[in-house]
Amino acid sequence: MLIVQKYGGTSVGDLERIRRVAGRIARYRDQGHDLVVVVSAMSGETDRLLNLAYELCPDPSPRELDMLVSTGEQVSAALLAMALKHIGYQAKAYVAFQIPIKTDALFGKARIQDIHTEKIRRDLDQGNIVVVAGFQGISETGDITTLGRGGSDTTAVALAAALKADLCEIFTDVEGVFTADPHIVPKARKIDRISYEEMLELASMGAKVLEIRSVEFAKIYGVPIHVRSSFTDEPGTMVVEEDKSMEKVLVSGVTYNRNEARITLHGVPDQPGVAAKIFGPIAEAGIVVDMIIQTSRPDGKADMTFTVPRTDYQKALKVVQNVEMDLGIEEIEGDKDIAKVSIVGAGMRAHPGVASKMFQVLAEHGINIQMISTSEIKISCVIDEKYTELAVRALHEAFHLESPVQEE
Ligand code: ADP
Ligand code: ASP
Ligand code: MG
């Protein structure tokens, strides 16, 4: 089999762990598998590099920032290949431009466009284990890019798709995909099999165990993903096409996201074209808006509330302040300390009453809902950040996610 494996930051967090990962890869090799291994930076390294940059200047150049943060993965790739050679296995480490893994030029959130596989195939044919630095790419103009936080997952799945690998294994610090973040909900249950679609919603709603784009890639190219622990040999979670053997559950998981901020515009003229005048400049500033709610008032004006990534909060405030006078907006206010709590499940399609139960549970715990959004298979509520854990645990309990069979 040709297997692409990815080891996350904690799994390669120190030399002892790198040695252990090398040992695991060696066992696979002994079984006759061809292996391409993608690594993240050692845990904490990407944050350390980002902190250095922001300590130096508040607004570092995106090009140089990518050049800086991409180095973490180069270190772990080189160390892992060394560790493999040290125990007698042929291995070769690469950074993205050597492959090359080509991306667009959107620094910090580049998209993979093309992966050349010739070099990897040649190395595999010669008996090498190929180690690739995750999270990075090279633009058409030869600049180093990065794919966004958690992007090594995407490198791995994209490589698996390009190489038509039999399997993509994501090794991380938990035993698979759980019904909620196991670090917040001790009773969370490991899900054995989950569809791409549900996984995509879980990832989009904050379950960072898989990066969103990696799931998109897997879904488009039909790459089976096995999410599992790098510290045990227990099977983890298979992320695959939806099939009949999957648990028919109403709700498959509860997620949270603390990376957004809310902005509210009071007294916006309720006229055609106003929303475009507000969200046009926000889009031009490269800010991605998530939820939007507009409520009409009896006085012919409207209140408009929306969420943006927390890192873009100040920038977004400035943008709306620029159009405040022009549009005659009465007041602008916002809150950075919010959290979005969501429940996800394919079973919701056919069952009414899930949303009302969610609202009821939050109400019983005295948690005020600031915003609501729904899709076919998820419901999200924006709440005060300080209630995040309470809300996630309460919802997990109320929907009986700790036991495999839920009443429908
Ligand atoms: P890695 O460094 O291996 O990429 P990450 O920290 O990016 O690891 O992702 C793994 C983490 O995702 C876990 O430690 C866990 O806290 C978090 N997580 C959030 N939601 C879930 C979930 N539903 N199932 C499993 N892990 C989750
Ligand atoms: N090292 C990068 C990060 O911390 C990419 C990854 O770990 O997947 O976001
Ligand atoms: Mg990750």
Side-chain angles (χ1 to χ4, degrees):
M1 284 219 287
L2 170 58
I3 304 175
V4 174
Q5 297 186 333
K6 178 252 170 179
Y7 292 91
T10 318
S11 310
V12 293
D14 57 36
L15 293 184
E16 191 42 46
R17 288 186 176 174
I18 291 179
R19 276 192 202 102
R20 258 199 272 158
V21 165
R24 182 184 291 269
I25 296 168
R27 290 205 300 279
Y28 274 81
R29 187 74 193 123
D30 291 344
Q31 289 165 14
H33 299 303
D34 282 334
L35 291 155
V36 175
V37 180
V38 174
V39 282
S40 290
M42 296 165 82
S43 58
E45 179 63 4
T46 309
D47 287 332
R48 188 185 72 86
L49 294 167
L50 282 170
N51 287 339
L52 278 180
Y54 285 99
E55 210 178 296
L56 189 68
C57 48
D59 203 10
S61 120
R63 180 183 179 277
E64 276 57 43
L65 203 55
D66 273 7
M67 184 149 159
L68 177 71
V69 296
S70 65
T71 59
E73 272 71 11
Q74 177 164 355
V75 171
S76 44
L79 288 173
L80 180 58
M82 280 178 207
L84 282 162
K85 287 186 194 214
H86 183 68
I87 55 171
Y89 290 79
Q90 262 176 261
K92 245 176 140 172
Y94 289 105
V95 287
F97 82 81
Q98 295 172 293
I99 302 276
I101 297 175
K102 294 190 170 171
T103 69
D104 60 21
L106 278 173
F107 296 111
K109 46 184 160 193
R111 287 184 164 268
I112 295 178
Q113 292 177 328
D114 190 22
I115 299 183
H116 291 211
T117 53
E118 297 80 14
K119 224 181 245 177
I120 298 179
R121 290 222 178 270
R122 188 198 60 206
D123 284 342
L124 290 173
D125 288 345
Q126 292 171 358
N128 288 289
I129 296 161
V130 180
V131 183
V132 180
F135 179 52
Q136 53 175 272
I138 181 100
S139 75
E140 208 177 345
T141 49
D143 293 313
I144 293 173
T145 56
T146 65
L147 311 179
R149 297 308 302 264
S152 299
D153 296 338
T154 308
T155 305
V157 177
L159 269 170
L163 290 162
K164 301 192 174 55
D166 299 287
L167 180 64
C168 182
E169 290 186 302
I170 304 284
F171 287 93
T172 183
D173 58 0
V174 289
E175 284 179 8
V177 180
F178 283 69
T179 48
D181 185 342
H183 289 124
I184 292 222
V185 184
K187 280 192 196 159
R189 186 173 53 85
K190 193 183 81 196
I191 302 169
D192 293 333
R193 287 163 71 80
I194 188 167
S195 68
Y196 292 124
E197 201 183 7
E198 276 180 300
M199 190 61 232
L200 197 55
E201 285 284 6
L202 284 179
S204 307
M205 293 304 120
K208 68 167 182 163
V209 61
L210 279 181
E211 205 264 341
I212 304 168
R213 269 193 225 153
S214 71
V215 189
E216 282 171 358
F217 256 105
K219 187 170 184 235
I220 295 170
Y221 296 100
V223 178
I225 302 181
H226 188 182
V227 182
R228 57 193 305 189
S229 166
S230 64
F231 302 109
T232 69
D233 287 324
E234 296 300 310
T237 301
M238 286 303 303
V239 187
V240 289
E241 211 64 70
E242 188 166 350
D243 66 40
K244 289 197 187 69
S245 76
M246 257 161 215
E247 298 175 33
K248 287 280 172 281
V249 294
L250 199 54
V251 175
S252 51
V254 185
T255 61
Y256 63 94
N257 175 351
R258 292 194 251 228
N259 301 326
E260 289 186 22
R262 173 184 64 79
I263 294 179
T264 300
L265 314 178
H266 294 281
V268 180
D270 203 357
Q271 290 158 7
V274 171
K277 283 194 186 132
I278 294 167
F279 293 106
I282 290 182
E284 274 158 34
I287 300 169
V288 181
V289 174
D290 179 23
M291 296 161 92
I292 304 178
I293 290 181
Q294 183 182 310
T295 37
S296 297
R297 306 193 318 201
D299 63 359
K301 295 205 166 189
D303 293 332
M304 203 177 264
T305 300
F306 56 95
T307 62
V308 294
R310 209 177 271 190
T311 45
D312 288 333
Y313 178 61
Q314 292 301 340
K315 199 159 123 191
L317 272 182
K318 280 203 195 97
V319 173
V320 286
Q321 277 155 3
N322 279 339
V323 297
E324 184 178 8
M325 295 281 270
D326 189 28
L327 289 179
I329 297 170
E330 280 170 10
E331 193 201 339
I332 298 174
E333 51 105 6
D335 187 358
K336 271 175 82 165
D337 302 323
I338 58 159
K340 186 168 73 177
V341 177
S342 313
I343 55 176
V344 173
M348 276 183 217
R349 278 195 204 108
H351 290 264
V354 179
S356 62
K357 181 162 173 181
M358 178 176 190
F359 306 153
Q360 185 69 37
V361 171
L362 294 177
E364 277 162 12
H365 287 80
I367 302 170
N368 185 42
I369 300 171
Q370 301 179 15
M371 299 173 85
I372 298 167
S373 90
T374 61
S375 82
E376 223 188 357
I377 66 167
K378 75 115 214 285
I379 304 160
S380 304
C381 294
V382 169
I383 60 169
D384 189 329
E385 183 182 4
K386 66 174 184 265
Y387 298 122
T388 312
E389 281 94 353
L390 176 65
V392 172
R393 288 189 195 124
L395 290 166
H396 196 272
E397 179 120 23
F399 285 98
H400 307 294
L401 298 189
E402 74 286 351
S403 52
V405 184
Q406 301 157 34
E407 78 248 37
E408 288 213 348

